[in-house]
Amino acid sequence: IVFSDTSNILSIIRNAQNEDLEGILKLVNKWYTNHSKFYNRLKNKKYFSVEQSRDYFQQGIINNFNNKESIIIVAVESEVVGFYILKKIGDKKYKGISTGVDPKMRGQNLHVFMQRKCSDVIKEPYTVINRTQLNNYKVLNNHISERRKLVAIEHILYLKPE
């Protein structure tokens, strides 16, 4: 699916509704938990079972879905094709909880438009604390292209348990 102009993309982006939870979880399971080419430290089978990994990703969504401090934006066609979740953690301060875009929608800046929708909801200057893997160049480039101020990079190392 390729949209020819911005108005078409904007027409599928909205605040999440209760019926979107199942679609978000389906997207998470398909492209995070069950996708062999998506690697994340939480999918490392030396440390976590498939069930633990799935539960982690799902609970992050479920725990924030009905939280009044969370802003959840979705892109919906016939099904959820993208989501972006922020949680308020202080005065004008938010934490990035999770995000995902179905591969059929990639390359259209859907993620950027969902972030902008969050800004429309918040309506004032704010700070987002967001973590990503250092090799996630697309996300890092997105922040740079949107002229966001990078204030810190944190690298976490995991040691093999004894």
Side-chain angles (χ1 to χ4, degrees), residues 14-155:
R14 62 171 168 76
N15 292 328
Q17 300 167 1
N18 287 336
E19 61 267 16
D20 296 322
L21 177 59
E22 184 178 330
I24 293 171
L25 293 175
K26 181 180 173 185
L27 192 65
V28 166
N29 286 332
K30 183 175 182 180
W31 298 110
Y32 285 19
T33 310
N34 299 334
H35 198 278
S36 63
K37 293 187 179 180
F38 173 75
Y39 182 77
N40 179 286
R41 67 185 183 273
L42 298 164
K43 287 182 66 175
N44 187 332
K45 292 180 182 175
K46 291 181 185 176
Y47 307 106
F48 304 102
S49 69
V50 172
E51 293 78 20
Q52 288 171 318
S53 177
R54 183 196 63 236
D55 290 348
Y56 172 83
F57 288 116
Q58 285 188 352
Q59 284 308 127
I61 305 297
I62 293 167
N63 290 343
N64 286 284
F65 197 80
N66 290 315
N67 184 328
K68 65 181 180 149
E69 299 294 325
S70 295
I71 299 171
I72 304 175
I73 304 300
V74 291
V76 179
E77 290 190 296
S78 58
E79 61 184 359
V80 174
V81 293
F83 68 94
Y84 185 76
I85 303 173
L86 290 180
K87 181 180 177 183
K88 188 171 187 176
I89 58 171
D91 186 38
K92 299 181 184 181
K93 190 182 293 183
Y94 293 80
K95 179 178 183 193
I97 299 299
S98 189
T99 187
V101 173
D102 191 306
K104 69 183 177 186
M105 297 299 291
R106 291 187 185 153
Q108 300 185 68
N109 296 317
L110 186 58
H111 193 265
V112 172
F113 288 109
M114 289 188 294
Q115 288 176 336
R116 289 180 186 166
K117 177 68 174 172
C118 281
S119 294
D120 293 344
V121 171
I122 297 170
K123 298 180 184 176
E124 62 183 352
Y126 62 95
T127 299
V128 172
I129 298 170
N130 198 8
R131 289 189 174 159
T132 191
Q133 298 175 142
L134 287 176
N135 64 348
N136 197 345
Y137 302 118
K138 289 182 181 182
V139 168
L140 296 173
N141 283 332
N142 170 33
H143 292 309
I144 291 165
S145 69
E146 287 291 301
R147 300 183 188 272
R148 296 187 180 114
K149 182 179 176 186
L150 179 64
V151 294
I153 294 179
E154 180 179 319
H155 184 72

